Amino acid sequence: MAGPVETVQIERAGDGLLPAAGRESQSRGRRHTEPPPVYRGEYQRDRDRIIHASAFRRLVYKTQVFVNHEGDLYRTRLTHSLEVAQIARSVAHTLGLNETLAEAICLAHDLGHTPFGHAGQDALNECMRGCGGFEHNLQSLRVVDELEEKYAEFPGLNLMYETREGILKHCSARHARELGELGRRFLERRQPGLEAQLANLADEIAYNNHDVDDGLRAGLLSVEMLRSEPLFAAQHDEVVARYPLLEGRRLIHEVIRRMINRVVTDLIRETAARLRAANPGSIDEVRGREGPLVGFSEEIREQHLALKRFLHANLYRHHRVLGMTLKARRVVETLFAAYMDEPRLMPAEFAAAARAARQEQGEAGQARVVADYVAGMTDRYAIAEHERLTDPAVGNT
Ligand code: MG
């Protein structure tokens, strides 16, 4: 096998980036005009704004797979987002993509997640049926476009178009139509910029691998089970052959780090080959394409998808995880119904916003404010609120 770096040489522009990389000079800009930053770039400013956002701080108390209080060693949305950013930055750097733009997208990609991971999102989507539904990707965009309250002159964080484009990974056709330029690619089945494509796969690489790690740590998965997966088995064989006495956490970590290396190296090689063949001259040329340019080889794509299916069947649907899912559903449904019934149970600003939205847009307007409030909760805050609202003891409000 050839070394990873020498095989990815693609011609770069004078600024060290590929011609099709995201760059400020070709950006579609910010929604609200602002003076340019003085001592940093526009995408650096985006990344910095994301790190200072309240929604970013709350990620530390939000579930990835395991509810935050189940253990201190499991991934949370925050550590997940940092791992995604790390993977994307390494690949971006190697390929000549815009590392800072990729990092900004990754750090923001899960800002709209509800408490309790996908269970929370499914429950909230169900509550919002008939009121526009709830999609976490769209909510991440809503957080950076509308909900963060940081600046005197505009709502949200006023991020660059390319960062917002990357945050909006998926979107239903109905919502895409409401989003104008940003939603058009979902209707035309076109691609976002290369950094957005990369962030999407870095997300998948990160969770596939850290969920194996967390699943083993929790005792819900075993090495024997995982050996049915070619991606795991190949690395496990190699490690056992080379270090026959290795066991415990070090054995597992050595296998997982090799799994990450295997898929990341494949991603770099395959993407470099596609970029050389397509040779796009600008980010708009990338956007005009039907298929992505950032991707795995067929062999690794199959192994990666097989591992994803394995985790769905054996970890995300494990009875202990499902037990948490049911509880999460009940907490979200109860909170949503309570705030719809009596908006004054929410903090004063949300109560006022809910009242105003109801007057302007009817029930769906109020529901959106309630959904924003519930989605912004951390796991432990949602649990405490649920307890407070359902505890029959007088005086415990
Ligand atoms: Mg993610």
Side-chain angles (χ1 to χ4, degrees):
M1 217 180 261
V5 177
E6 68 269 25
T7 57
V8 300
Q9 289 306 326
I10 320 166
E11 207 170 322
R12 301 188 183 195
D15 57 6
L17 300 179
L18 297 186
R23 45 167 68 73
E24 292 176 16
S25 58
Q26 291 171 13
S27 173
R28 296 188 184 176
R30 300 182 190 273
R31 293 165 91 200
H32 309 277
T33 313
E34 287 187 68
V38 179
Y39 55 88
R40 46 184 179 167
E42 296 281 12
Y43 298 120
Q44 277 177 295
R45 175 148 80 174
D46 277 9
R47 179 199 56 201
D48 299 350
R49 285 182 175 182
I50 292 158
I51 289 174
H52 287 275
S54 346
F56 186 71
R57 284 197 297 285
R58 288 198 296 264
L59 293 178
V60 72
Y61 297 114
K62 290 202 183 202
T63 298
Q64 185 63 29
V65 173
F66 298 91
V67 176
N68 178 250
H69 62 251
E70 286 185 293
D72 290 345
L73 294 174
Y74 300 118
R75 267 67 173 190
T76 68
R77 288 262 163 223
L78 182 67
T79 55
H80 161 71
S81 301
L82 295 174
E83 289 184 31
V84 176
Q86 179 276 316
I87 290 170
R89 284 181 55 197
S90 296
V91 176
H93 181 80
T94 311
L95 288 173
L97 305 184
N98 192 317
E99 199 177 323
T100 315
L101 170 58
E103 183 183 17
I105 295 169
C106 293
L107 292 178
H109 85 282
D110 271 352
L111 287 180
H113 256 288
T114 60
F116 315 120
H118 285 280
Q121 117 106 22
D122 291 348
L124 199 51
N125 189 29
E126 194 62 37
C127 295
M128 287 294 286
R129 193 203 287 254
C131 293
F134 181 90
E135 298 172 25
H136 67 264
N137 285 298
L138 201 59
Q139 190 70 6
S140 295
L141 185 69
R142 198 167 149 72
V143 166
V144 301
D145 278 358
E146 307 285 342
L147 299 180
E148 280 291 318
E149 299 179 297
K150 292 279 183 194
Y151 301 95
E153 302 205 346
F154 45 79
L157 305 178
N158 197 29
L159 302 180
M160 296 285 274
Y161 182 92
E162 294 69 33
T163 312
R164 297 171 57 233
E165 172 186 51
I167 291 171
L168 192 63
K169 190 163 70 172
H170 301 294
C171 181
S172 62
R174 188 165 54 82
H175 285 127
R177 274 190 284 275
E178 291 162 11
L179 284 169
E181 189 187 9
L182 200 65
R184 201 172 306 141
R185 80 174 147 99
F186 299 100
L187 302 172
E188 295 175 355
R189 299 184 183 282
R190 304 278 170 198
Q191 296 298 314
L194 294 169
E195 290 79 4
Q197 295 181 25
L198 170 58
N200 183 18
L201 287 182
D203 185 23
E204 295 202 0
I205 294 171
Y207 68 63
N208 247 7
N209 285 284
H210 65 47
D211 288 351
V212 166
D213 187 27
D214 282 353
L216 284 166
R217 190 189 307 277
L220 306 188
L221 302 178
S222 67
V223 168
E224 292 66 40
M225 289 163 77
L226 277 158
R227 284 198 50 87
S228 68
E229 288 309 304
L231 207 48
F232 185 93
Q235 310 308 318
H236 188 253
D237 285 347
E238 260 184 49
V239 174
V240 170
R242 181 148 181 204
Y243 308 101
L245 297 178
L246 197 63
E247 53 183 19
R249 296 301 312 165
R250 282 177 71 183
L251 170 62
I252 288 165
H253 284 146
E254 184 64 36
V255 174
I256 291 174
R257 88 172 182 84
R258 284 162 183 257
M259 280 166 58
I260 297 176
N261 188 51
R262 178 81 180 92
V263 289
V264 166
T265 306
D266 180 84
L267 180 70
I268 290 170
R269 285 217 184 96
E270 174 67 21
T271 304
R274 290 187 200 177
L275 284 168
R276 267 196 302 270
N279 197 21
S282 70
I283 186 169
D284 277 335
E285 261 185 70
V286 174
R287 287 180 176 132
R289 297 177 63 88
E290 270 175 40
L293 285 167
V294 181
F296 299 119
S297 69
E298 200 44 43
E299 184 198 353
I300 290 297
R301 196 181 77 90
E302 269 169 31
Q303 294 187 6
H304 168 84
L305 290 177
L307 180 58
K308 205 167 155 172
R309 282 194 297 272
F310 170 92
L311 288 168
H312 269 280
N314 297 291
L315 182 62
Y316 311 141
R317 307 204 69 78
H318 191 282
H319 69 90
R320 259 176 63 196
V321 174
L322 281 181
M324 184 277 277
T325 301
L326 287 175
K327 275 191 213 165
R329 179 169 286 273
R330 207 163 56 231
V331 170
V332 168
E333 282 168 359
T334 307
L335 291 177
F336 187 88
Y339 301 138
M340 282 305 282
D341 201 37
E342 182 44 274
R344 283 175 300 180
L345 289 170
M346 295 188 289
E349 56 186 291
F350 280 96
R355 209 177 311 121
R358 189 173 191 105
Q359 274 164 11
E360 277 171 35
Q361 306 152 47
E363 195 188 349
Q366 179 186 343
R368 184 59 59 194
V369 176
V370 170
D372 286 342
Y373 180 54
V374 173
M377 290 180 179
T378 61
D379 296 355
R380 60 183 192 170
Y381 185 79
I383 291 167
E385 271 299 278
H386 180 260
E387 233 163 66
R388 190 173 74 87
L389 293 178
T390 55
D391 188 343
V394 180
N396 191 18
T397 53

